[in-house]
Amino acid sequence: MDLRDPQHAQVSVVVIGHDDAPHITGAVRSALAQGPVVREVLAVDDGSTDGSPDLLDALAAREPRLRVLRRTDNSGGCGTPRNDGLAAASAPYALFLDSDDLLPPRAAALLLAAAREQRAEVAAGLCVRRELPHGPDRPWQPRLYAPPAAPAVLGHPSERPELTRDTLCVNKLYRTDFLRAHDVRFPEGRFPYEDFVFTARVLAAGPRLALIPDPVYFWQVRRDADRLSISLDRAGIDNWRARTDAHRAAVDVLFTAGEHALARASRAGFLDLGLRMYARELDRRTPEYRRQWWAHTRSYLGTFDPDDLNPVDRPGRLLAGVLLAAPQPQDLPRLRELASRPARLLPPHARGQDATPLWSNELPVPLDRLAARPLRTLPLTVSARLRPRLRGTTLRLRLHEFYGRVAQAEPVRAEAEFVERRTGRVGARCPARFRSAPDGTPPDDRTWTAEATVPLRRLGAGTWDLRVLLRFADGTERLTSAHATDGPGLLRRRALPSAGRGVRLVQPYATHSGSLALRIALGPRGAFGVFRRRLVRLLGSRRRP
């Protein structure tokens, strides 16, 4: 088969990189391995000084489809090298790839087939976010690409406004003549979150789209890297300012194009994704960061239309309402729990003079619409504490009232599941029955408790997340996470005897969102590995500014 045959070699893959010698050849090889549908791979080196260009040149000497484009100076961002690659592309379609990511087998062929069969200017597929080195793999925006949402053909993006939530540019195939005809380019120079603006420009141009359910991109996340990616390097306030600036620019693009439904959907996505992600981390930041973040966020939310924030029936909109009501940072633990996934609303619960549910007496943000939602969607709070002991490990759960809704539904049973983070496998299920609070407890302070024995022998070495399935008398079920109860000795590492292994190291801990999880190491070697990884993380955090 002639690789230059226009009937087959239809795709230019643009790979960008800067000082990423350990990974860039792997990315390029994954592009070349796509087969004859790829006419060329354009590797754009953005002023690297670590030997990356030499590695690419050596590979190009053996691979006729690889072209290396060198920039003498680093542009400071991802947009300029992508624009360079797009300008040099000779194939009818273009696909973008970052130097530290990979294309799964046949990704280009699947996207090309969808684009050609459906006469679409843009074809998009599932991006898989892969936590390295041991997982887990999580799909990005799966509701857009999982059946029955995909496969699908959309004559215009406005047919599915939630497309604005997928701001990535790398899991999509674009007709190059479409991008050039509409002058769709990335922002130049140092512009973090440049794909927000590029994606908005694509949608504003009104393409016909084809969506497929297949994985087409592996987004590889390396949290222990010496140089964190933009999406992970969130410790400084400049990252949040860059994100809001990019989102503001994207919304302006959509409004200017007359795509008001898409612009409002983009704002809703910002509240549900970006705002919740950063709010989960607030109580781990410095007081100065919190002050600046709070002031900047309130200022940005002030540019939203009232219809973008009301009704307050979703966690992101409720977060925005609390922020706008509070001049200074407050209620950070409750905000973190509300921002978790799934959302949890910790007590205390307040009511107005007319019994309307409120966020608190100090911040009387109304929750009447939130409290009226179906029980299976409410941000119910389950607190949990785990006590690893020689005689048996006990898990105690406490379900809190939610403005009378829990008592009305009558909780009956709870089933705790320990899910292996790397694989998603359920290692143990622990059923328990609820017991109600004593008589005389104020209605909004009522709790229901349940206790279960955890068979640690069924849980191997690794990290285990706790999920709790709540069952109510009316047949309703609610799957949620559990808030980690802190206290003397509750979140402490314990060494327990293990048959055949000598020792089992068990540590309950609170995740960044406050959920209870469990780390287990088996034997002396496993215990040593836990301490070694902890030391590496500690030293790495000290090296970063």
Side-chain angles (χ1 to χ4, degrees):
M1 180 182 294
D2 183 1
L3 298 181
R4 294 287 179 173
D5 183 348
Q7 294 300 314
H8 301 288
Q10 295 274 296
V11 179
S12 295
V13 182
V14 177
V15 186
I16 64 166
H18 169 69
D19 284 349
D20 198 14
H23 307 119
I24 192 165
T25 55
V28 169
R29 286 192 176 100
S30 78
L32 292 167
Q34 296 298 304
V37 299
V38 172
R39 176 181 300 182
E40 61 189 357
V41 176
L42 302 167
V44 186
D45 179 77
D46 195 13
S48 294
T49 59
D50 68 343
S52 296
D54 296 334
L55 292 175
L56 293 171
D57 287 340
L59 186 57
R62 304 187 302 270
E63 295 286 354
R65 289 181 296 162
L66 175 59
R67 295 169 55 196
V68 181
L69 308 180
R70 293 196 184 197
R71 294 186 54 82
T72 56
D73 298 317
N74 177 249
S75 68
C78 297
T80 298
R82 288 204 189 110
N83 287 337
D84 290 349
L86 185 60
S90 64
Y93 296 89
L95 186 64
F96 297 108
L97 172 62
D98 289 347
S99 61
D100 54 351
D101 296 332
L102 297 173
L103 295 178
R106 301 192 68 245
L110 292 168
L111 289 169
L112 178 62
R116 296 184 68 181
E117 290 170 7
Q118 304 300 337
R119 296 174 289 105
E121 286 88 10
V122 178
L126 185 67
C127 172
V128 177
R129 183 183 169 101
R130 173 166 289 176
E131 296 273 352
L132 297 178
H134 302 302
D137 289 352
R138 291 193 175 96
W140 168 256
Q141 297 299 322
R143 292 185 179 180
L144 287 175
Y145 300 107
V153 182
L154 306 176
H156 192 274
S158 59
E159 295 177 18
R160 191 168 293 175
E162 59 269 26
L163 284 170
T164 56
R165 290 175 175 249
D166 184 7
T167 54
L168 301 180
C169 68
V170 289
N171 59 328
K172 302 173 181 70
L173 183 77
Y174 308 89
R175 278 201 65 93
T176 51
D177 59 358
F178 172 82
L179 297 180
R180 290 164 180 165
H182 293 275
D183 196 27
V184 176
R185 293 167 53 85
F186 292 89
E188 293 277 349
R190 170 120 184 112
F191 194 104
Y193 300 102
E194 75 293 330
D195 44 359
F196 285 23
V197 179
F198 178 83
T199 299
R201 289 171 176 171
V202 170
L203 297 178
R208 180 178 174 87
L209 299 106
L211 308 182
I212 63 175
D214 307 87
V216 299
Y217 197 87
F218 287 149
W219 175 7
Q220 305 203 117
V221 179
R222 297 176 174 87
R223 297 185 184 273
D224 59 352
D226 290 335
R227 186 183 65 186
L228 293 176
S229 66
I230 291 173
S231 61
L232 295 180
D233 191 11
R234 298 193 294 269
I237 192 63
D238 287 346
N239 182 282
W240 178 239
R241 288 173 174 157
R243 190 182 185 100
T244 54
D245 288 346
H247 182 259
R248 187 199 308 265
V251 170
D252 288 345
V253 167
L254 295 170
F255 271 127
T256 300
E259 299 293 347
H260 290 209
L262 292 176
R264 296 193 183 283
S266 179
R267 283 178 170 170
F270 172 85
L271 297 175
D272 193 48
L273 297 173
L275 184 63
R276 290 178 69 175
M277 176 169 57
Y278 284 73
R280 281 198 296 271
E281 302 170 347
L282 264 186
D283 61 350
R284 297 189 291 114
R285 304 302 187 199
T286 65
E288 178 60 18
Y289 176 97
R290 295 174 194 166
R291 185 191 65 77
Q292 294 185 45
W293 187 92
W294 200 273
H296 180 79
T297 305
R298 294 181 80 242
S299 175
Y300 183 48
L301 293 175
T303 67
F304 284 37
D305 294 336
D307 289 343
D308 296 326
L309 303 174
N310 292 310
V312 183
D313 60 351
R314 295 183 181 276
R317 296 188 182 193
L318 177 54
L319 279 171
V322 173
L323 281 160
L324 289 171
Q328 298 294 330
Q330 66 181 83
D331 288 352
L332 298 186
R334 295 185 77 205
L335 289 176
R336 181 188 67 174
E337 299 289 331
L338 182 65
S340 66
R341 295 189 182 276
R344 300 183 295 264
L345 184 57
L346 285 175
H349 302 315
R351 293 180 183 270
Q353 293 183 348
D354 58 354
T356 298
L358 304 174
W359 171 261
S360 69
N361 290 323
E362 294 77 17
L363 297 175
V365 178
L367 307 181
D368 49 335
R369 280 186 169 270
L370 178 65
R373 295 184 68 187
L375 184 70
R376 59 182 175 80
T377 68
L378 289 179
L380 301 180
T381 297
V382 177
S383 300
R385 67 181 188 186
L386 187 74
R387 290 189 179 274
R389 291 175 174 172
L390 294 176
R391 297 179 181 178
T393 297
T394 302
L395 175 68
R396 175 165 291 186
L397 304 173
R398 184 179 298 274
L399 171 63
H400 298 264
E401 181 56 88
F402 191 90
Y403 298 103
R405 298 290 304 280
V406 175
Q408 182 182 7
E410 298 182 31
V412 177
R413 295 183 65 84
E415 185 172 275
E417 299 178 343
F418 286 90
V419 183
E420 189 176 28
R421 185 172 296 175
R422 182 173 61 87
T423 64
R425 175 179 66 90
V426 177
R429 289 187 171 90
C430 314
R433 295 194 66 86
F434 277 119
R435 298 193 303 271
S436 184
D439 293 337
T441 304
D444 280 340
D445 294 335
R446 292 186 66 183
T447 61
W448 289 257
T449 59
E451 194 168 290
T453 300
V454 180
L456 288 181
R457 64 185 181 278
R458 298 183 187 175
L459 305 181
T463 301
W464 299 85
D465 292 310
L466 174 62
R467 298 188 310 198
V468 181
L469 180 64
L470 306 173
R471 291 190 171 96
F472 298 86
D474 63 359
T476 300
E477 295 184 347
R478 171 69 164 128
L479 184 64
T480 186
S481 57
H483 165 75
T485 302
D486 200 354
L490 290 180
L491 301 180
R492 187 181 66 182
R493 186 183 296 112
R494 294 289 302 273
L496 303 177
S498 174
R501 299 297 187 111
V503 65
R504 183 191 305 266
L505 199 63
V506 181
Q507 183 185 14
Y509 75 100
T511 66
H512 288 169
S513 62
S515 301
L516 182 66
L518 185 63
R519 293 191 187 100
I520 296 179
L522 300 176
R525 179 176 297 180
F528 174 77
V530 170
F531 289 115
R532 182 176 59 83
R533 288 190 293 271
R534 187 177 183 87
L535 180 61
V536 169
R537 287 195 297 270
L538 177 62
L539 294 176
S541 65
R542 289 180 176 177
R543 284 198 304 265
R544 292 169 197 147

